């Protein structure tokens, strides 16, 4: 039986990369998906693809930094599909690149708002709906950067994404009695537009691939499978974790 039958999931950052792959996978596994991102056209294309395959999906474009948008995604899930069972808070940004003395304060704040404050806003809206449902799963996309490895020039990205792990631990302790599991998913290098923006040449991408024990980048679909694990009953006793799906980059030293 599909893993997510009769469940409703909100997925942000769904217009491309990991979020898009997760939306397609969750829908194939029986979930009714509410997909969010800033690009309405890309979301509508994804909805059409999911529906053509027999799934159920609805799109709502907006900015995850906006508290009203976090509320609206939950309202879409409860109004259209009767409730909320899964929240995959995946939207994020690379933020400013460059050594810390060169980073403008407004760019720093924008990265934290997009990667960390948006997660708080999402969870704040999602938790009451999950409680009404009797429990569920909240997932945040973090990264190994700033957790198991440090790199120059990505301070805002590392700080904001690693902050999600502390948020996960606090929320897992708060929400556990309500049957709500909260986890962070930490991908390694993944073949997404963000990876190409961070590593702008084939040579740079190849160098990143060599950092991984598997000597390659992940496909977005592989990271979506890890998100499916955290969303489904397969991880029913897993909460408060930082789950590495990183191709061995965290243990690779040569």
């Amino acid at each position: 039986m599909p893993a997510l039958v009769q469940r409703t999931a909100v997925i942000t950052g769904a217009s491309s990369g990991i979020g898009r792959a997760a939306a397609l996978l969750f829908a194939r596994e029986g979930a009714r998906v509410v997909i969010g991102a800033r690009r309405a056209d890309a979301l509508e294309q994804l909805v059409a693809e999911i529906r053509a395959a027999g799934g159920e999906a609805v799109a709502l474009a907006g900015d995850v930094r906006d508290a009203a948008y976090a509320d609206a995604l939950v309202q879409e899930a409860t109004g259209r599909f009767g409730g909320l069972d899964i929240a995959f808070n995946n939207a994020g940004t690379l933020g400013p690149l460059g050594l810390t003395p060169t980073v403008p304060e407004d760019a720093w704040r924008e990265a934290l708002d997009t990667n960390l404050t948006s997660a708080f806003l999402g969870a704040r809206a999602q938790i009451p709906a999950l409680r009404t449902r009797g429990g569920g799963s909240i997932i945040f996309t973090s990264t190994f950067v700033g957790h198991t490895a440090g790199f120059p020039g990505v301070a805002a990205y590392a700080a904001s994404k690693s902050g999600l792990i502390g948020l996960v631990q606090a929320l897992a302790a708060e929400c556990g009695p309500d049957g709500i599991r909260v986890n962070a998913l930490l991908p390694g290098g993944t073949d997404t537009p963000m990876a190409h923006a961070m590593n702008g040449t084939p040579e740079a991408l190849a160098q990143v691939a060599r950092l991984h024990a598997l000597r390659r980048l992940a496909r977005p679909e592989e990271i979506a499978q890890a998100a499916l694990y955290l969303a489904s009953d397969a991880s029913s006793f897993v909460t408060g974790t930082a789950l590495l799906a990183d191709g061995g980059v965290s243990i690779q030293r040569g």
Side-chain angles (χ1 to χ4, degrees):
M1 177 181 292
L4 302 180
V5 171
Q6 297 301 312
R7 299 188 192 180
T8 299
V10 165
I11 302 171
T12 64
S15 59
S16 66
I18 293 168
R20 189 179 197 280
L24 290 166
L25 177 60
F26 284 20
R28 286 199 303 271
E29 290 292 330
R32 299 160 296 200
V33 294
V34 178
I35 56 174
R38 288 178 292 182
R39 295 186 292 143
D41 56 344
L43 291 177
E44 292 300 337
Q45 291 172 9
L46 179 55
V47 166
E49 188 173 341
I50 290 170
R51 289 177 178 171
E56 295 184 75
V58 63
L60 184 65
D63 189 332
V64 292
R65 295 173 296 178
D66 182 357
Y69 181 56
D71 293 336
L73 287 168
V74 173
Q75 290 164 8
E76 197 73 15
T78 57
R80 291 286 191 108
F81 299 127
L84 179 65
D85 304 286
I86 300 156
F88 185 20
N89 297 292
N90 168 72
T93 185
L94 185 56
L97 300 179
L99 297 180
T100 297
T102 71
V103 174
E105 185 177 347
D106 58 347
W108 168 270
R109 291 186 183 279
E110 181 179 358
L112 263 66
D113 285 347
T114 303
N115 290 342
L116 183 55
T117 303
S118 71
F120 158 73
L121 295 173
R124 188 177 66 177
Q126 294 150 9
I127 288 167
L130 292 167
R131 282 180 176 146
T132 298
R133 204 71 154 173
S137 175
I138 302 176
I139 307 159
F140 300 98
T141 301
S142 181
T143 177
F144 75 96
V145 178
H147 180 63
T148 61
F151 297 97
V154 290
Y157 179 71
S160 56
K161 285 290 192 176
S162 62
L164 290 172
I165 297 171
L167 178 63
V168 158
Q169 292 173 354
L171 291 179
E174 287 181 16
C175 299
D178 297 308
I180 300 170
R181 299 182 296 106
V182 188
N183 293 284
L185 175 58
L186 280 60
T190 307
D191 190 5
T192 64
M194 185 180 291
H196 287 265
M198 189 174 182
N199 307 279
T201 66
E203 293 77 15
L205 285 170
Q207 182 177 356
V208 172
R210 286 193 294 272
L211 295 175
H212 296 70
L214 294 179
R215 295 298 194 271
R216 64 177 178 87
L217 301 182
R219 291 177 290 107
E221 293 78 10
E222 292 179 289
I223 307 304
Q225 289 285 352
L228 175 63
Y229 165 72
L230 292 174
S232 74
D233 289 343
S235 61
S236 59
F237 203 61
V238 178
T239 194
T241 66
L243 177 68
L244 288 164
D246 71 348
V249 70
S250 295
I251 53 89
Q252 184 67 19
R253 293 295 181 269

